Amino acid sequence: MMVILLLLLVVVVAVAEATAVPAGSTVVAGMVFCDQCKDGARGLFDYPLYGARVAIQCGGGDTPLTVRESNTNWFGGFSVRMEGSPDMNRCTARVVQGTGHCGAGAGAGGGGAPRELTLAFRMLGLALYTVPPLLAQPEEAMDFCPGRGGGRAPVAQAPAPASSSPFWRRRPRLLPPVWRKPPTNLPQEQPQVPQVVVPPPPPPTAPSQQGSACTYDMWASPEHRCHWKVLTPNTTVAMAFGPLAAQRYGSELTLGEALEGRGDMYRTLLREATAALLNAYYNAPGGPFLYPTTASVMDHMNGALLSSGQRVLLEGARFRRANAGGGGPAGRTRLPCDFTPCGSCAPPTS
């Protein structure tokens, strides 16, 4: 949902820029994301990249001509304005320089493949071209990505059957008889005793899914650091929540420091949102916790940062209620905090 809103915001800004100039102008707009897992597609762990350098190239071939360059804003969007009405159908956009750990140059594999421009509309001498989301990649995929240490391994699929015919049309395979030497000394026949067939016991019922909700002071305690998943206390707020949080709280603040915030409604919102994000990672997706996924926590956090102070107070109180175990469906008991001391569990993966 947030990605769609950001794309709409970039297009609106580009249209505003196009209408603010005289007739006979062309605008190219798009977005850049940090492809942390290097899978070539925008996924759950990717976020809009601020400060990336984008080049508009035309001509094709091995050495296309760069006609314009632009940097992305806080929302990861960019817009390039050109005078006149050139034909941009054979032009492409690509990332030539990223930022942060997605800052490898295009020659080092950090820039994704170029994307072709698409004409969105043309009227009254104004032309707007859009481009699919561009990707900037780090040198290596992050540890929390699927298929790497700390991520979930792909589920192995069962091999396909040798024949595609339905099982009711297949003939049973008959095994050849096994030749055995007949015994020489046969025992005396014993009276047959009827066997009593005992039915197998019913399978044990699966335990009900038990969720967990822990407050910020429980997550900040050194005795419970082993329960952190995907994130660590040294992970920055900007990395965990995205560019909006980086603009409000800076790029150096860590999640361990965010759990100590108090005295200000924005610091209180960040403290409770950090605890809710850790609870969402700790619980299974779709569990009884009020925020069933990490994306829902980020959506509510970014929505509060884009709204008024009253929304900040309401979202902070809602996060605090969920971290205390409440806020679930009607009739459900409060969720407990099932933490155990770190001496009896494995250390967290970085």
Side-chain angles (χ1 to χ4, degrees):
M1 181 62 68
M2 289 301 300
V3 173
I4 297 177
L5 294 177
L6 291 176
L7 287 172
L8 292 177
L9 179 61
V10 172
V11 173
V12 169
V13 172
V15 172
E17 292 183 358
T19 55
V21 298
S25 299
T26 301
V27 175
V28 179
M31 293 190 65
V32 178
F33 291 84
C34 178
D35 185 11
Q36 299 194 93
C37 296
K38 298 191 69 173
D39 53 3
R42 181 164 49 84
L44 177 62
F45 298 103
D46 303 339
Y47 62 90
L49 191 61
Y50 163 69
R53 193 71 174 174
V54 179
I56 306 299
Q57 300 174 341
C58 299
D62 297 334
T63 58
L65 176 64
T66 300
V67 296
R68 287 290 190 276
E69 290 188 356
S70 177
N71 292 336
T72 57
N73 54 23
W74 279 105
F75 301 99
F78 68 91
S79 61
V80 179
R81 181 174 60 86
M82 293 172 285
E83 300 294 339
S85 302
D87 185 9
M88 308 294 292
N89 290 326
R90 298 183 59 186
C91 299
T92 60
R94 65 174 303 171
V95 179
V96 295
Q97 184 178 0
T99 57
H101 69 282
C102 276
R115 298 295 182 92
E116 296 183 356
L117 307 183
T118 302
L119 179 62
F121 70 86
R122 184 193 300 272
M123 63 181 179
L124 300 178
L126 304 178
L128 174 63
Y129 288 84
T130 59
V131 61
L134 303 177
L135 300 178
Q137 297 177 340
E139 294 184 0
E140 295 183 0
M142 305 302 291
D143 293 338
F144 51 76
C145 294
R148 290 182 59 89
R152 296 182 178 177
V155 179
Q157 298 182 354
S163 176
S164 58
S165 303
F167 66 91
W168 60 81
R169 294 183 179 178
R170 300 176 190 171
R171 296 181 179 180
R173 297 182 179 180
L174 301 179
L175 298 178
V178 179
W179 183 86
R180 291 186 177 89
K181 183 179 180 180
T184 56
N185 298 325
L186 295 178
Q188 297 181 357
E189 296 183 358
Q190 300 292 335
Q192 297 182 356
V193 179
Q195 298 181 356
V196 179
V197 179
V198 180
T205 58
S208 60
Q209 187 178 13
Q210 179 68 28
S212 175
C214 301
T215 57
Y216 73 93
D217 53 344
M218 297 291 291
W219 285 108
S221 174
E223 298 179 355
H224 303 134
R225 290 290 175 87
C226 61
H227 298 287
W228 288 56
K229 293 185 177 180
V230 179
L231 306 174
T232 66
N234 295 328
T235 303
T236 60
V237 174
M239 179 68 67
F241 289 98
L244 290 180
Q247 184 178 7
R248 167 63 63 177
Y249 303 103
S251 59
E252 302 297 331
L253 186 67
T254 63
L255 295 182
E257 296 170 346
L259 292 175
E260 301 175 358
R262 57 178 55 86
D264 177 75
M265 62 178 181
Y266 284 97
R267 293 298 300 271
T268 302
L269 172 67
L270 178 61
R271 180 191 68 195
E272 299 299 335
T274 301
L277 185 63
L278 294 174
N279 284 321
Y281 274 118
Y282 185 77
N283 288 275
F289 187 61
L290 179 60
Y291 300 91
T293 61
T294 57
S296 61
V297 178
M298 298 178 187
D299 287 344
H300 284 272
M301 176 65 173
N302 292 330
L305 294 177
L306 291 174
S307 302
S308 60
Q310 183 179 4
R311 174 72 181 277
V312 172
L313 295 175
L314 290 176
E315 290 295 342
R318 194 164 182 260
F319 281 136
R320 184 180 181 87
R321 180 186 179 190
N323 296 330
R332 185 183 296 275
T333 59
R334 298 179 66 87
L335 298 180
C337 181
D338 62 351
F339 280 173
T340 56
C342 283
S344 58
C345 61
T349 57
S350 59

